Amino acid sequence: MGDAKRGITPTFLWAQTRESVHITVQIVNPENLKHSITDTGLEISGDSADKKHYMLKLEFPHRINTTKSLINLKGRYPRFEIAKANTKIFWNRVAKDKRKFKNFCKVDFNKWQDEDELYDSDEVEKEDETSKPEEKESDGPDAMGLPPAVGGMDQDRVDMMKKAKLDKGRPTDDEDSDDGPLPDLDG
């Protein structure tokens, strides 16, 4: 797809199951659609119904199985079901470069499954400093159930915020104002 014509980056939704990653590219009723899937990425370009040209070149953080991947180009948006090469890896993002598509990539919460729903803790591969990028495991969802790509928080930060909220404006045992006599209001 060495198209010299540059295009607008479309918004896309992603979610994952144990076996696959789902990607919905939001190009409304695309025309002249071209796509290419390799074991490391997805490339798609096409024109929307309002004649705007869109192009997305997505490099995955892990390898995929191109022979088991499915494509649905019918309907309002093109949809891809990308088969994971290693089903024991939880993807913490869909793009290798987490900053490149931060304004265009959204989580499809209708299809999203949390890591703890997908894997038992003993069968997930552990990440270490020497492992290759395609062998890495994610940090997992945060305490609010949001995947790291969404910008969630860890449990320590949530606990700290809860404690700060509970302590805010409440007197300590030393300053409890209910212990003393009430002032005379009659004058």
Side-chain angles (χ1 to χ4, degrees), residues 11-16 20-25 39-42 56-64 80 82 84 90-102 104-108 112 138 147-150:
T11 300
F12 60 97
L13 304 173
W14 85 285
Q16 70 178 305
S20 62
V21 174
H22 300 272
I23 299 173
T24 303
V25 182
D39 63 342
T40 59
L42 166 69
L56 175 65
K57 186 174 182 179
L58 189 60
E59 188 177 356
F60 299 130
H62 307 285
R63 292 205 174 284
I64 64 164
F80 299 86
I82 308 296
K84 294 179 180 179
F90 181 86
W91 291 23
N92 61 350
R93 61 182 172 265
V94 71
K96 193 171 192 174
D97 181 359
K98 65 182 175 182
R99 291 178 293 262
K100 186 173 182 180
F101 297 108
K102 73 178 189 175
F104 304 101
C105 180
K106 298 178 181 179
V107 174
D108 188 347
W112 186 266
S138 88
V150 177

Side-chain angles (χ1 to χ4, degrees), residues 3 14 22 68 73 89 99 109 119 121 145 149 152 163 166 182 185-186:
D3 193 8
W14 85 285
H22 300 272
K68 291 184 180 178
L73 301 178
I89 297 177
R99 291 178 293 262
F109 286 107
Y119 303 101
S121 60
K163 183 173 178 7
L166 291 175
L182 293 175
L185 298 176
D186 291 333

Side-chain angles (χ1 to χ4, degrees), residues 6 8 21 38 43 48 64 71 75 77 93 102 111 114 123 127 132 136 144-145 148 150 152 168 178 184-185 187:
R6 297 196 51 104
I8 302 166
V21 174
T38 65
E43 193 170 335
S48 65
I64 64 164
I71 302 165
Y77 302 123
R93 61 182 172 265
K102 73 178 189 175
K111 295 179 182 175
D114 288 331
E123 65 182 62
E127 178 179 351
K132 296 177 185 173
K136 289 187 178 179
M144 297 172 65
V150 177
K168 185 177 181 180
D178 292 50
D184 186 18
L185 298 176

Side-chain angles (χ1 to χ4, degrees), residues 20-174:
S20 62
V21 174
H22 300 272
I23 299 173
T24 303
V25 182
Q26 294 187 323
I27 303 173
V28 180
N29 300 323
E31 299 170 359
N32 305 320
L33 196 64
K34 298 177 185 174
H35 66 279
S36 170
I37 299 177
T38 65
D39 63 342
T40 59
L42 166 69
E43 193 170 335
I44 183 169
S45 70
D47 302 321
S48 65
D50 59 356
K51 303 301 180 207
K52 291 181 182 174
H53 183 71
Y54 289 91
M55 181 181 279
L56 175 65
K57 186 174 182 179
L58 189 60
E59 188 177 356
F60 299 130
H62 307 285
R63 292 205 174 284
I64 64 164
N65 184 337
T66 57
T67 58
K68 291 184 180 178
S69 295
L70 303 173
I71 302 165
N72 182 357
L73 301 178
K74 295 181 177 153
R76 185 176 176 132
Y77 302 123
R79 300 177 196 280
F80 299 86
E81 186 175 325
I82 308 296
K84 294 179 180 179
N86 185 344
T87 59
K88 292 183 179 181
I89 297 177
F90 181 86
W91 291 23
N92 61 350
R93 61 182 172 265
V94 71
K96 193 171 192 174
D97 181 359
K98 65 182 175 182
R99 291 178 293 262
K100 186 173 182 180
F101 297 108
K102 73 178 189 175
N103 294 327
F104 304 101
C105 180
K106 298 178 181 179
V107 174
D108 188 347
F109 286 107
N110 293 328
K111 295 179 182 175
W112 186 266
Q113 292 182 350
D114 288 331
E115 182 176 17
D116 57 347
E117 295 172 3
L118 296 175
Y119 303 101
D120 293 332
S121 60
D122 58 335
E123 65 182 62
V124 176
E125 292 183 5
K126 298 300 175 193
E127 178 179 351
D128 64 348
E129 295 296 321
T130 60
S131 66
K132 296 177 185 173
E134 60 269 358
E135 297 172 354
K136 289 187 178 179
E137 161 200 340
S138 88
D139 298 327
D142 71 340
M144 297 172 65
L146 297 175
V150 177
M153 293 188 233
D154 62 3
Q155 185 63 44
D156 293 335
R157 189 169 217 179
V158 171
D159 291 341
M160 180 183 70
M161 290 175 70
K162 284 181 183 176
K163 183 173 178 7
K165 186 175 182 179
L166 291 175
D167 291 342
K168 185 177 181 180
R170 290 193 177 163
T172 61
D173 290 339
D174 301 354

